[in-house]
Amino acid sequence: RTLPLDEAAMRESSIWRITAAAVLSASLFPTAEGFTGGLLLPNSAFSPGQSRLMPSSATRAHAKWDAPRDLRRRISAPLMCAEPKDGDDAVEKAKGVLKKITDVVFMPVQMSLPCAIGWWIVGSVGLVLAVGLSLFTFEVNDVAQNTVIADSAELSKAQKQAQKLEEETILFREIVNDVQAAYVDPVDSDAFFETGMKAMLGSLDPYTEFENNKESADLDILTMGRYGGVGLTVGADSTFDAAKGEPVRDDSRFLIVGALEGYAWDAGIRTGDHIVEVDGKSVKGQKLQEITNMLRGPPGTTVTVTYERDGTVGALKTVLNRKTIKIPNVPLAQLLGDPKDGVGYVLLKSFAQDSGEEIRTQIKKLNRQVPGGKSLSTVILDLRGNPGGLLTAAVDVGEAFLDPSQSIVSTKGRTASAPSLAYASSKLGPAISSKTKVIVLTSGTTASAAEIVAGAIQDHDRGVVVGEKTFGKGLVQQVARLPFDTSLKITVAKYYTPSG
């Protein structure tokens, strides 16, 4: 039906109807076949007071509907026929409003492509990272699992070894108990045990040994270079047998070979005296080591010594205070021949903690004894009969004759407590001039640390080695403390001179 409207009212309302129609059409997004309604629009073919409904067949001609273009066609086609002159402004305004509406409506569609590309890139990167992380986690888990399996295998092996060792220990104890209980003669358990230990360790090498409390104390003296004692050197004694016309062993007393000043000397004992009692106990029939052990003891304690002196009637008695006795590593250092020749002789008897310091001190003294402000032309280092000592002491002594950074010795072990190491001279430098000649004296009993020093001097052409072929030990021992003041001296590495 038609509505009677005047021309001005129709023009004014046409803009709003066009806008409403555009919104309705844009919101519906009809397809070519699915659009059955129409837009109520003014038509110029009718009188101003009339209107008609545009049939839906007007849109069926479009096989594929383009929303903005089709919408504008539907709106602009009727407008092209209505009010060609006075309605131009209204049409332009309607087009502007329509453009804004379509821009707003289709803006997400225009922005969706770059957003999709961006999210695709982010997703791809995330996927790659997730795959990489999963592979890494799998690898780590695999390695961890293999490590756990290896650790479990090692633990199982260690447990089996511990169980085997426990069984062998129980078996050894049972054997000792059975021998003590059933053997035909009484058995000294201490001697029996030590014999078993020495035989067991001796199957490894001659230097891996079990040390009882006395032997362990002697080992400490060798390595530390000091002990608690009275400053006496004791040896076997003898008397002259007139019937035989020769001296014979007298086991009722022991001869004092030396007495140190500041110790036993200050108490009146002299070299040549004869010990007959220690703390009221006769020494008759005692072994030399037993007498030595009786005289030694912790510093600050005392011991009573009864002795005889040739030409004196009756025995003498004195109380000696035990002190810390320092054993000199270099008992002799002097110039030989004419002092102007500058030939120094140094006797090194052991390798204790401060051997290197003593060597340097004695060489400095000899340098000061050379007249005319000159230095030593030759140093004779006597290592004959030196049984060795500490490996670190050998390095310290070697540094006194070698230039900085020169190799001294290398060791090869298999455990963390005794790893493979290489030792070289420090920046301290040698104690002698580079022009000073060095001669090293050796014998068949030159061993261990003494061989290291001789080998380093020879391999670096720093001096010549004169004498006999050395002992040839080539092994490094480590002392492990055991209960009851005993110790285990065990071979832990092999050592090599700079030439290998």
Side-chain angles (χ1 to χ4, degrees):
R1 67 192 176 95
T2 60
L3 300 176
L5 298 174
D6 58 3
E7 185 177 357
M10 188 178 64
R11 289 179 181 177
E12 184 177 356
S13 62
S14 62
I15 296 175
W16 299 105
R17 282 184 291 171
I18 292 172
T19 302
V23 173
L24 179 61
S25 176
S27 62
L28 292 177
F29 289 97
T31 60
E33 297 299 327
F35 183 79
T36 56
L39 294 177
L40 187 63
L41 298 174
N43 195 325
S44 59
F46 298 91
S47 62
Q50 295 178 342
S51 64
R52 63 175 295 184
L53 183 66
M54 188 179 96
S56 60
S57 60
T59 61
R60 292 197 180 103
H62 301 282
K64 184 177 181 181
W65 186 58
D66 185 343
R69 184 178 61 184
D70 192 58
L71 181 61
R72 290 169 184 170
R73 180 182 298 172
R74 295 182 185 185
I75 298 174
S76 61
L79 292 177
M80 293 292 292
C81 301
E83 309 296 335
K85 292 184 179 181
D86 297 332
D88 289 343
D89 293 339
V91 172
E92 290 300 326
K93 290 181 180 180
K95 288 182 178 181
V97 173
L98 179 61
K99 186 177 183 304
K100 291 181 180 180
I101 293 173
T102 54
D103 288 344
V104 172
V105 171
F106 292 101
M107 185 177 296
V109 179
Q110 297 174 359
M111 295 178 62
S112 62
L113 182 60
C115 290
I117 294 174
W119 281 112
W120 178 80
I121 294 175
V122 173
S124 300
V125 173
L127 178 62
V128 171
L129 292 177
V131 173
L133 181 60
S134 63
L135 293 177
F136 175 76
T137 305
F138 176 78
E139 184 69 20
V140 170
N141 291 337
D142 187 53
V143 172
Q145 184 177 5
N146 292 337
T147 303
V148 171
I149 294 174
D151 291 343
S152 300
E154 290 294 331
L155 181 60
S156 177
K157 183 178 179 181
Q159 290 175 343
K160 291 180 180 179
Q161 291 178 345
Q163 182 179 359
K164 182 66 175 177
L165 181 60
E166 182 66 22
E167 294 175 356
E168 293 171 346
T169 303
I170 295 174
L171 182 61
F172 179 81
R173 185 170 60 247
E174 290 298 324
I175 292 175
V176 172
N177 291 335
D178 289 346
V179 169
Q180 285 182 322
Y183 189 69
V184 62
D185 294 324
V187 177
D188 185 343
S189 59
D190 292 338
F192 186 64
F193 173 80
E194 290 186 17
T195 301
M197 288 295 101
K198 290 183 183 296
M200 180 176 65
L201 298 175
S203 65
L204 301 175
D205 62 65
Y207 314 108
T208 299
E209 299 176 329
F210 169 76
E211 307 285 349
N212 59 31
N213 49 4
K214 297 300 181 183
E215 293 170 338
S216 180
D218 293 339
L219 186 61
D220 288 341
I221 294 173
L222 177 64
T223 57
M224 299 297 293
R226 56 179 59 89
Y227 66 95
V230 295
L232 288 176
T233 303
V234 182
D237 207 346
S238 62
T239 58
F240 185 78
D241 189 340
K244 295 182 179 181
E246 60 183 13
V248 295
R249 171 77 172 91
D250 185 359
D251 64 352
S252 65
R253 59 186 188 175
F254 284 86
L255 178 66
I256 296 177
V257 179
L260 296 177
E261 294 185 14
Y263 301 93
W265 176 276
D266 295 351
I269 298 180
R270 298 292 183 265
T271 300
D273 291 344
H274 311 274
I275 297 178
V276 295
E277 290 182 359
V278 177
D279 279 338
K281 183 179 180 180
S282 174
V283 299
K284 183 177 176 62
Q286 299 286 340
K287 296 180 180 179
L288 178 60
Q289 185 62 47
E290 293 174 338
I291 300 302
T292 301
N293 294 334
M294 292 171 66
L295 293 173
R296 291 176 180 174
T301 60
T302 61
V303 59
T304 302
V305 176
T306 303
Y307 61 97
E308 296 175 349
R309 179 171 295 168
D310 295 339
T312 302
V313 179
L316 305 173
K317 183 182 292 187
T318 185
V319 177
L320 302 177
N321 294 317
R322 293 190 178 101
K323 301 179 182 179
T324 300
I325 308 296
K326 185 178 183 303
I327 303 174
N329 296 291
V330 184
L332 180 61
Q334 64 182 30
L335 294 177
L336 300 180
D338 190 346
K340 294 181 180 179
D341 296 335
V343 178
Y345 171 83
V346 179
L347 174 61
L348 182 61
K349 296 298 293 183
S350 59
F351 284 82
Q353 286 183 338
D354 50 1
S355 296
E357 182 180 353
E358 285 190 41
I359 282 286
R360 290 180 178 274
T361 300
Q362 296 299 328
I363 290 178
K364 288 180 181 180
K365 289 182 179 179
L366 294 178
N367 272 321
R368 289 195 294 265
Q369 294 176 15
V370 179
K374 298 180 180 180
S375 59
L376 293 169
S377 63
T378 304
V379 172
I380 301 174
L381 179 62
D382 193 349
L383 298 178
R384 292 175 297 180
N386 191 318
L390 297 177
L391 175 64
T392 53
V395 175
D396 293 340
V397 172
E399 287 182 342
F401 298 94
L402 300 176
D403 294 331
S405 301
Q406 284 189 313
S407 174
I408 297 177
V409 65
S410 60
T411 62
K412 292 184 179 180
R414 72 175 186 90
T415 64
S417 60
S420 298
L421 298 173
Y423 298 86
S425 300
S426 66
K427 297 180 180 180
L428 186 61
I432 58 176
S433 170
S434 59
K435 298 180 180 180
T436 302
K437 301 176 182 178
V438 179
I439 300 173
V440 181
L441 304 181
T442 62
S443 66
T445 54
T446 300
S448 187
E451 291 178 296
I452 291 176
V453 173
I457 292 175
Q458 183 181 55
D459 288 352
H460 288 294
D461 293 327
R462 186 60 189 88
V464 295
V465 178
V466 180
E468 301 174 352
K469 184 178 180 180
T470 60
F471 187 78
K473 184 179 179 182
L475 300 175
V476 180
Q477 277 75 46
Q478 191 174 70
V479 179
R481 300 297 178 185
L482 299 177
F484 314 113
D485 295 328
T486 60
S487 60
L488 174 64
K489 187 172 67 173
I490 181 173
T491 300
V492 295
K494 298 177 180 180
Y495 72 77
Y496 299 86
T497 60
S499 62

